[in-house]
Amino acid sequence: MIATKFSVLQHVCIVPFARATRHRSFTVSASASTTASPSRNLTASSSRAPHVDPRVLLGMTEHDLQQLAVEFGQQSYRGKQLHHLIYKRKAKEIQDFSHLPQAFRNDLIEAGWKIGRSPIYHTVTAADGTVKLLIKLEDNRLIETVGIPVEDEKGSMKLTACVSSQVGCPLRCSFCATGKGGYSRNLQRHEIIEQVLAIEDIFKHRVTNVVFMGMGEPMLNLKSVLDAHRCLNKDIQIGQRMITISTVGVPNTIRKLASHKLQSTLAVSLHAPNQELREMIVPSAKSYPLDAIMKDCRDYFAETSRRVSFEYALLAGVNDSVEQARELADLLHEWGRGYHVNLIPFNPIEGSEYRRPYKKAVSAFAGALESRKITVSIRQTRGLDASAACGQLRNNFQKNPLLIEPDHKKSQPDVAVAC
C-alpha cells in the first residue's frame, strides 16, 4: 500500500435524468476520485482517473438522499428511508427497496441510479477465521478486502475490515506483494465503503474497526478516502478512533490530513531507522526524505493531539538488528515523544529475497525499543494460510490489476499477485 507522483485529472459526468426537467436540478456531491501514474517524484496528485459516475447512492448523506427524493417528486422522508435501506438494511439493488413506492424505484432506475454494491467474485477462509474477499468492480477489475475477527476474553468479537484504496499499487516496495501486480486506478468513494459492507455480509456481524491497509496508497487517493471515512463514521457509525489510515509517506498529504483534525489513527510505514536503508526497502523514499516525514509527523501530533503509529516490517538480516532498534529509538526521540511502533514480522511472498525473522530476533528488537521508553506492539499474523496476511494478499485470478475476461470466456487462472 503505497504510491508515487501523480497529476490530477477529474472526469465530469453529465447525468441524463429521466422523467423530464424536475430531475435536472439535482446535483450530487459525489467524490470524483482521482488516480495516478507512477513517476520519479512522489506527490499526491494523479493522472489516470476512473470513469466517475455520480449516480451512486452508497456514500451519500441522509441530507443528500432527502434532496434526491424531493427532486424525484417524493416527500423528504423518503430520503430517510433510502438512508436506512442502504446503511442499515444493506440493500444491494434498488428493486430491493420494498418500503418505497414502485414508481419511485422505477424512476431511480430509469434515471440511471444504482446503489453501488459489487458482487463478491471469490472468497478464501483461513484456519484462524480470517476471510479474504475478491470483489469484482463494474469495470471488471478485482480488489481485495480482508475481514479479521478477534474474540476477547469475555467472548465478544471485534471485527476488523482491512480495505483497499486503489486497484494495485504503483510504489513497488521491495517486500510487498501488491506492487508486484502493477497499478490500475484509484477507487471511488463507494468502492471503498462497499468493502466494509461486504465483510459485514460475510460475517453477519458489525464491523468494529477499519484499517486502510489493503491494496494501494491511501494518501494518493485522499479525497475518496476522506469521503469514505466520513460515511463510515457518520452513516455506518464506526467511531473515528476505530479507523486507521496508513501511508508510506506522500509529500504534503500528512499536513493536509492534519487539517481535517480527525480522531482516527495515522500509521506511517517506516521500515528503516535511516534514509539510506529506507531507500533500499521503499524506493519512493528518495522523494520524501526521512527527516521531512518525521517533521510532518511531529506537526501532525501538534495539530491533532493524536499519536502517530509507525509500522515497521521486520526483514531478517536487513533491518532487524538490536543496533537498528536503538537507532530507531534515537530517531523517534529526536522528533518528539509518545510515538508507538508496531512491529510486523515479514510475511513470506513468492519470489521475494526477504525472510521472516526468528521470534528471538523480534523479541530482541522489541526489547531494545522498550528499554529506550518506546511503546511497542508486535502484530499478530492472521490469515497466513489464506494468503491474506499483511503485505501478502494474493490474487490467483488476476496476474495484473487489469481487465479480467468476461465470465463466458474465463479460462483457468494463472499465478497472480495482489495486495
Side-chain angles (χ1 to χ4, degrees):
M1 78 180 230
I2 329 175
T4 60
K5 180 172 187 178
F6 297 79
S7 57
V8 175
L9 174 64
Q10 291 187 326
H11 286 215
V12 178
C13 299
I14 299 175
V15 183
F17 281 77
R19 305 282 181 170
T21 58
R22 63 177 179 159
H23 301 160
R24 293 177 188 167
S25 61
F26 181 72
T27 303
V28 183
S29 58
S31 63
S33 61
T34 56
T35 47
S37 81
S39 79
R40 295 179 182 176
N41 298 317
L42 190 64
T43 69
S45 53
S46 57
S47 63
R48 273 183 293 164
H51 173 75
V52 177
D53 188 347
R55 294 163 295 177
V56 175
L57 299 173
L58 185 61
M60 293 176 67
T61 66
E62 184 174 300
H63 174 76
D64 286 339
L65 292 169
Q66 288 178 304
Q67 183 183 353
L68 178 65
V70 170
E71 293 295 335
F72 273 84
Q74 302 290 323
Q75 294 185 13
S76 63
Y77 78 87
R78 294 296 186 191
K80 290 186 176 182
Q81 289 181 314
L82 279 172
H83 190 271
H84 179 81
L85 290 164
I86 294 166
Y87 297 113
K88 303 299 182 185
R89 298 285 295 273
K90 300 179 179 65
K92 296 180 180 178
E93 301 290 343
I94 288 177
Q95 285 295 6
D96 295 336
F97 291 166
S98 56
H99 291 71
L100 298 183
Q102 185 66 55
F104 184 23
R105 284 180 268 166
N106 291 342
D107 282 354
L108 287 169
I109 293 170
E110 289 177 24
W113 285 87
K114 56 192 175 184
I115 294 178
R117 295 291 302 273
S118 304
I120 294 175
Y121 187 76
H122 188 68
T123 303
V124 178
T125 304
D128 62 13
T130 298
V131 175
K132 177 182 70 176
L133 305 179
L134 290 181
I135 296 177
K136 182 180 177 182
L137 304 179
E138 192 172 26
D139 59 2
N140 283 335
R141 288 171 169 84
L142 298 178
I143 56 170
E144 303 198 16
T145 187
V146 180
I148 307 168
V150 177
E151 191 172 289
D152 63 21
E153 61 277 1
K154 296 181 180 179
S156 60
M157 187 173 80
K158 180 178 76 172
L159 179 59
T160 297
C162 179
V163 300
S164 297
S165 55
Q166 296 179 309
V167 183
C169 183
L171 279 196
R172 300 180 180 273
C173 289
S174 60
F175 60 88
C176 183
T178 304
K180 297 180 185 296
Y183 167 78
S184 201
R185 66 170 174 87
N186 278 351
L187 294 182
Q188 298 178 52
R189 171 180 66 183
H190 70 278
E191 293 171 329
I192 297 172
I193 299 165
E194 70 170 327
Q195 297 174 58
V196 174
L197 299 183
I199 291 295
E200 292 189 339
D201 287 344
I202 289 292
F203 282 89
K204 309 300 181 188
H205 193 281
R206 176 179 170 78
V207 165
T208 57
N209 298 67
V210 175
V211 293
F212 284 83
M213 295 182 179
M215 299 169 65
E217 164 56 60
M219 293 296 199
L220 284 168
N221 190 15
L222 190 54
K223 176 170 172 45
S224 289
V225 166
L226 288 173
D227 286 345
H229 181 286
R230 185 217 59 77
C231 179
L232 293 171
N233 176 230
K234 299 294 186 182
D235 301 308
I236 300 178
Q237 297 187 333
I238 298 171
Q240 286 196 21
R241 294 199 176 199
M242 300 295 105
I243 301 174
T244 297
I245 298 175
S246 184
T247 179
V248 77
V250 177
N252 303 316
T253 56
I254 293 177
R255 182 167 60 252
K256 186 179 297 184
L257 182 65
S259 70
H260 292 271
K261 299 185 185 298
L262 302 179
Q263 288 299 295
S264 300
T265 298
L266 171 64
V268 176
S269 298
L270 208 57
H271 308 317
N274 58 67
Q275 178 67 16
E276 182 180 5
L277 180 58
R278 193 164 193 268
E279 287 184 16
M280 290 175 55
I281 299 172
V282 183
S284 62
K286 296 176 182 178
S287 300
Y288 197 7
L290 192 54
D291 284 354
I293 289 180
M294 296 306 299
K295 179 183 182 303
D296 286 346
C297 290
R298 182 186 62 189
D299 294 345
Y300 182 89
F301 176 76
E303 181 80 10
T304 66
S305 299
R306 294 289 293 160
R307 180 181 69 173
V308 175
S309 179
F310 289 102
E311 308 286 300
Y312 194 101
L314 287 168
L315 311 171
V318 177
N319 66 352
D320 66 338
S321 71
V322 170
E323 291 74 19
Q324 288 165 323
R326 293 169 181 158
E327 186 180 3
L328 176 60
D330 291 342
L331 174 73
L332 297 182
H333 283 308
E334 178 185 353
W335 287 99
R337 293 291 185 271
Y339 290 127
H340 169 261
V341 175
N342 187 18
L343 299 178
I344 310 167
F346 175 65
N347 297 311
I349 61 174
E350 184 180 347
S352 174
E353 68 275 21
Y354 295 121
R355 295 177 296 106
R356 186 181 181 91
Y358 292 114
K359 289 184 178 180
K360 183 178 180 180
V362 175
S363 296
F365 195 96
L369 289 175
E370 288 175 336
S371 69
R372 282 161 174 74
K373 303 188 184 307
I374 300 294
T375 305
V376 185
S377 61
I378 301 173
R379 182 177 297 175
Q380 179 184 2
T381 299
R382 300 294 306 270
L384 196 61
D385 56 318
S387 295
C390 178
Q392 192 216 14
L393 297 177
R394 288 277 185 178
N395 178 349
N396 293 317
F397 296 85
Q398 208 169 35
K399 187 168 184 177
N400 295 304
L402 305 175
L403 295 177
I404 62 172
E405 296 180 21
D407 290 340
H408 67 280
K409 294 183 179 179
K410 190 163 52 186
S411 59
Q412 289 297 317
D414 55 8
V415 189
V417 271
C419 189

